[in-house]
Amino acid sequence: QSGQIYYSTDFGNTFIQSIVPINFIIEDIGFVNDDIGIVIGQATVTNAILKTTNGGLNWNLINQQMGHLNVDFISDSV
């Protein structure tokens, strides 16, 4: 609900705030592997999709104007 995403490099003992480009409330999150992840959620006016390629350190806006969605990965390429 805070609009922030946090990551840990020490198995959850401490957390560091990620860089997120928009105000965002997470509805679903999924990672293909240790580096690539997708977050879907509610932005200020509409829903949006964010993507990370560095394990959650930074997130980039991929798309806005999306409906309520979930994210699932069948494999690391689908």
Side-chain angles (χ1 to χ4, degrees), residues 13-78:
N13 289 315
T14 59
F15 287 87
I16 302 164
Q17 187 174 342
S18 296
I19 298 171
V20 180
I22 59 174
N23 290 332
F24 199 70
I25 298 172
I26 296 172
E27 291 183 357
D28 202 3
I29 187 169
F31 275 80
V32 176
N33 54 38
D34 289 344
D35 294 318
I36 299 172
I38 300 290
V39 170
I40 296 174
Q42 298 174 18
T44 305
V45 176
T46 183
N47 291 338
I49 298 174
L50 303 180
K51 180 180 181 180
T52 184
T53 56
N54 59 7
L57 301 174
N58 302 81
W59 294 86
N60 298 306
L61 180 63
I62 300 299
N63 200 336
Q64 281 187 284
Q65 316 265 328
M66 303 299 293
H68 292 279
L69 302 172
N70 294 358
V71 59
D72 294 301
F73 297 102
I74 297 169
S75 70
D76 60 356
S77 63
V78 179

